Amino acid sequence: AVTIDSQLGVDPTTGAFTSFACDLSLDGGGTANYSASVADVAAISSASIYYMPKSDIGTVATRSRGVTAGSMRGYGALQSITAMECLVDDVAAHLKKDPIELRRKNAMRTGYRNLTGAVPAVTIRSAELLDRLARAPLWSDRDKDRRAFEAAHPSRKYGVGVACAMFKYGAGHDGALAAVSFDADGRIEVAAS
């Protein structure tokens, strides 16, 4: 369990993210099974794919009588990335901006520094991925599909969402250059150096 209190500064006119503050409190459980490392990963991953010109991130792991919070429980990134993606959805709804376009506008680019000050040594293609997602029929036809589904199933709801994440680059022991990709025919390619 991680309690997350975060605030995202956004320019309401442009939708550009201006600042990010996040405090994370991890329930480490009764055993120090990587609790400090899990808290560290949660903090490093808290901005997900987004560039934050200014940030203030704090994290703590506390001992409790709860279940051990080691590597078998998501390692912190899943919790903080999910919180960020929900926050971005809230901002998009509040500003009446397309969720994919808001993500694309604020995605890190190749050469940008992340929260730790590290510059990933890889080409960052989040914006390209978001462009492709925007054109996917599952996204572009979502309103029409929702209306059709809910008309045919009045007691059920239909929804399509989007999230895009980047896992903790900048911890000091990052993989050199690695990628997993798939093409339109479903072929998967794994490359590592």
Side-chain angles (χ1 to χ4, degrees), residues 44 114 116 118-122 167-178 193:
I44 291 171
N114 69 0
T116 67
V119 177
V122 297
F167 183 68
K168 76 166 189 112
Y169 189 93
H173 51 274
D174 307 297
L177 297 172
S193 61

Side-chain angles (χ1 to χ4, degrees), residues 31-69:
T31 307
N33 177 349
Y34 300 108
S35 296
S37 177
V38 172
D40 182 52
V41 170
I44 291 171
S45 301
S46 64
S48 189
I49 67 164
Y50 307 107
Y51 173 68
M52 300 296 172
K54 297 178 184 177
S55 60
D56 181 9
I57 314 299
T59 187
V60 64
T62 55
R63 186 175 177 163
S64 77
R65 295 180 64 170
V67 176
T68 299

Side-chain angles (χ1 to χ4, degrees), residues 1 18 27 48 51 54 71 91 135 159 176 191:
T18 58
D27 178 349
S48 189
Y51 173 68
K54 297 178 184 177
S71 57
V91 169
R135 293 188 303 268

Side-chain angles (χ1 to χ4, degrees), residues 19 32 37 39 42 44 61 64 72 78-80 95 104 120 127 130 139 142 148 159 169 183:
S19 58
S37 177
I44 291 171
S64 77
M72 71 292 215
L78 299 176
Q79 293 85 342
S80 63
L95 296 178
R104 186 186 190 296
L130 289 163
W139 180 260
R142 69 191 183 282
Y169 189 93
D183 63 18

Side-chain angles (χ1 to χ4, degrees), residues 3 8 15 19 23 36-37 46 61 98 100 115 120-121 128 130 152 167 169 175 188:
T3 301
L8 183 60
S19 58
D23 290 312
S37 177
S46 64
D98 178 83
I100 289 181
L115 291 180
E128 179 184 333
L130 289 163
F167 183 68
Y169 189 93
I188 299 172

Side-chain angles (χ1 to χ4, degrees), residues 125-154:
R125 298 177 63 191
S126 302
E128 179 184 333
L129 175 64
L130 289 163
D131 285 343
R132 293 182 74 176
L133 285 171
R135 293 188 303 268
L138 180 63
W139 180 260
S140 59
D141 297 340
R142 69 191 183 282
D143 291 331
K144 175 181 61 100
D145 293 345
R146 178 186 51 78
R147 286 190 298 274
F149 179 87
E150 291 178 2
H153 307 89

